Amino acid sequence: MSTENDGTAVPADPAAPSTPPTPPVPPTPPTTAAEPAPPAAPAAPEPDTDPTQTLPQTEAHPQARTQAHAPTPEPGPAHDAAPTHPQAPTHDAAPTHAQPPAYAQAPAHATAASAGGWPPPPPAVPAWGAPLPPAPPAPEARKRTGGIVAAVLAAALVAGGIGGGIGYWAAERGDNGGFSSTTVSSGDAPASFKRDPGTVAAVAAKALPSVVTIQAKSGGTEGEGGTGTGFVYDQEGHIVTNNHVVASAADGGALSVTFSDGKSYDAEVVGRAEGYDVAVLKLTDAPKGLTPLPLGDSDKVAVGDSTIAIGAPFGLSNTVTTGIISAKNRPVASGDGSGGSNSYMSALQTDASINPGNSGGPLLDASGAVIGINSAIQSTGNGFGQSQAGSIGLGFAIPVNQAKNVAQQLIKTGKPVYPVIGATVNMNSKGAGATIAAQGAGGTAPVTPDGPAAKAGLKAGDVITGFDGHQIDSGPTLISEIWTHKPGDSVKVTYERDGKTATATVILGERTGDS
């Protein structure tokens, strides 16, 4: 018969073995119902550490009670031979508590040999026909626990493991079993925690005092405006940002700049470049001790480099986000948000989170140097710009090498200078290259007479497919690549005419101001 103990099967009770041959013993008169068995003296409880102690009969272990009433095996084919010893008489009066099944007396040497191992040998019981001893009195609470633990451990061993039994034993006894906790409380942490240079936290902490939030209000009666970002360019108080951040306040509006410490200053526009989407402001009462952000080299940036963007997305100043350089030389055309001319850039693409309000803020590398000016995002809306919903991981920054050249020109003259090729290209077609239009704007010649393109031999209808080693697939892409250079640069151009591919060298001209 098998019983269940918390879902674990207990082996069936072994059959009572035959008693080994011994000298004849006079038979004991059978006990009748009218003559109850005389009470036996209570047995002293076994020590708590004795592995052979018997299981106290409690409700927590029904298998002990079940085993006590196991019926005597009926004669079967295996018992046809006459037994060697007479069968024990039947007891009519059942004891008031469960008794373990009768076993043959275990030899003393077997008990001693197994005392130190698990599981313990079966407890010794009287020989067949001897009166059954009464159950020992209940031990103290601690010894009851030990007995329960012994049974649990024995069952666990039979099942093939002791982990659960030991866990129960340790929990019940309130003992940690010699093990100590491996957790570390906050009080054990180092008293002074230092962030190593190059970590995002260290770079941000150093850069934030040099990043500003810009509030722009138009000069109209309603005072419309917006919020953007900028950064300290030099100790004289020049702030570099996007043109579309300050465009609404450029004519009679008001500009204020707020640093990360909460201090605000009035500012004025020094110069704007719509085509580059770059603007320079100057604090009217610049404080002493300004720390310009160091400028990196955007030409040396590699795809996969870490990036850190700082700005005020949706007006949340001093927000830091991180990502990588996802691509380089990405042609982007974005509006200024006020219906003005588009700007064109051969942008750095990053997956750092950029949202409206990040415009004009710095895109830093892992060392904290500025490698770009965050300018545009691609959203699921209608295209590029800062009036879209929010970041989907496609942000675009003006390379800092280009932005630096523009900023220096604006500080020097207040006007932007653009490199040009002296030809009008179709801005609508895409895929086959940049096609030189058949007619220029306002009826002018598509190729400026004696201009850079004319001197290089380019004509109307030519399709420019390469510029300085970069593939050209549209007019905006060509302009983006042209504006990464300076006036006077000599550039190799690849073009197609009448189905044939040719090359030419163009020396870039210049145009001053926005037209």
Side-chain angles (χ1 to χ4, degrees):
M1 175 180 293
S2 64
T3 61
E4 296 295 325
N5 181 20
D6 295 333
T8 303
V10 178
D13 295 334
S18 301
T19 305
T22 56
V25 179
T28 302
T31 303
T32 63
E35 296 179 0
E46 296 291 337
D48 191 35
T49 58
D50 186 3
T52 63
Q53 66 180 345
T54 59
L55 176 68
Q57 307 305 315
T58 65
E59 291 300 322
H61 295 275
Q63 74 275 14
R65 182 170 60 253
T66 303
Q67 293 172 353
H69 296 283
T72 303
E74 297 180 2
H79 301 279
D80 291 341
T84 304
H85 301 283
Q87 187 174 356
T90 304
H91 296 276
D92 296 332
T96 57
H97 53 268
Q99 296 294 339
Y103 292 93
Q105 178 69 36
H109 68 273
T111 303
S114 61
W118 286 345
V125 298
W128 288 101
L132 296 175
E140 298 177 1
R142 184 170 182 272
K143 299 184 181 298
R144 287 174 50 129
T145 302
I148 295 173
V149 171
V152 172
L153 290 179
L157 282 171
V158 173
I162 62 173
I166 292 177
Y168 175 84
W169 178 76
E172 188 73 12
R173 291 172 60 95
D175 191 358
N176 63 8
F179 298 99
S180 59
S181 174
T182 59
T183 59
V184 178
S185 64
S186 60
D188 297 328
S192 58
F193 180 76
K194 295 183 65 177
R195 291 172 175 84
D196 296 332
T199 62
V200 174
V203 171
K206 186 175 181 180
L208 276 169
S210 300
V211 180
V212 299
T213 300
I214 300 172
Q215 289 83 27
K217 293 184 178 180
S218 66
T221 56
E222 297 182 358
E224 295 179 355
T227 301
T229 308
F231 61 91
V232 177
Y233 181 77
D234 57 28
Q235 292 182 335
E236 286 70 37
H238 289 107
I239 305 294
V240 173
T241 185
N242 281 144
N243 171 66
H244 72 258
V245 170
V246 301
S248 61
D251 298 323
L255 291 169
S256 64
V257 171
T258 304
F259 284 80
S260 61
D261 60 3
K263 295 181 180 179
S264 296
Y265 302 88
D266 292 334
E268 60 184 8
V269 177
V270 172
R272 300 188 299 131
E274 292 182 2
Y276 293 121
D277 197 16
V278 174
V280 175
L281 311 181
K282 191 174 189 304
L283 304 180
T284 56
D285 188 13
K288 295 181 179 180
L290 290 176
T291 303
L293 285 182
L295 305 181
D297 186 350
S298 54
D299 291 339
K300 296 182 179 180
V301 171
V303 173
D305 283 350
S306 298
T307 58
I308 302 172
I310 304 179
F314 297 102
L316 300 174
S317 300
N318 310 314
T319 296
V320 178
T321 56
T322 62
I324 62 170
I325 294 293
S326 303
K328 295 177 61 177
N329 304 313
R330 189 71 80 188
V332 173
S334 64
D336 61 5
S338 62
S341 301
N342 285 338
S343 60
Y344 301 93
M345 67 187 90
S346 182
L348 298 174
Q349 179 181 328
T350 180
D351 65 348
S353 182
I354 297 175
N355 289 285
N358 276 103
S359 294
L363 183 69
L364 309 176
D365 62 14
S367 70
V370 180
I371 55 175
I373 300 177
N374 300 319
S375 181
I377 61 174
Q378 173 71 61
S379 74
T380 56
N382 296 323
F384 297 97
Q386 288 293 325
S387 60
Q388 308 303 318
S391 173
I392 58 172
L394 295 173
F396 302 92
I398 303 169
V400 72
N401 289 4
Q402 176 182 339
K404 178 174 64 175
N405 294 335
V406 177
Q408 290 174 344
Q409 189 66 39
L410 292 176
I411 292 173
K412 182 179 179 180
T413 66
K415 296 181 180 181
V417 176
Y418 298 93
V420 296
I421 63 171
T424 301
V425 295
N426 190 330
M427 301 298 288
N428 296 323
S429 62
K430 183 177 180 180
T435 302
I436 299 178
Q439 186 175 355
T444 61
V447 176
T448 304
D450 203 28
K455 292 180 179 179
L458 297 176
K459 300 179 180 180
D462 289 347
V463 180
I464 299 176
T465 58
F467 188 88
D468 195 26
H470 293 94
Q471 184 177 356
I472 303 301
D473 62 357
S474 65
T477 301
L478 176 61
I479 295 176
S480 298
E481 289 297 330
I482 291 173
W483 286 357
T484 62
H485 293 77
K486 297 179 181 179
D489 286 349
S490 179
V491 181
K492 182 179 179 180
V493 175
T494 302
Y495 64 96
E496 293 181 358
R497 179 188 298 169
D498 299 330
K500 297 181 180 180
T501 300
T503 60
T505 299
V506 176
I507 300 176
L508 299 178
E510 70 175 55
R511 187 192 78 209
T512 301
D514 290 306
S515 57

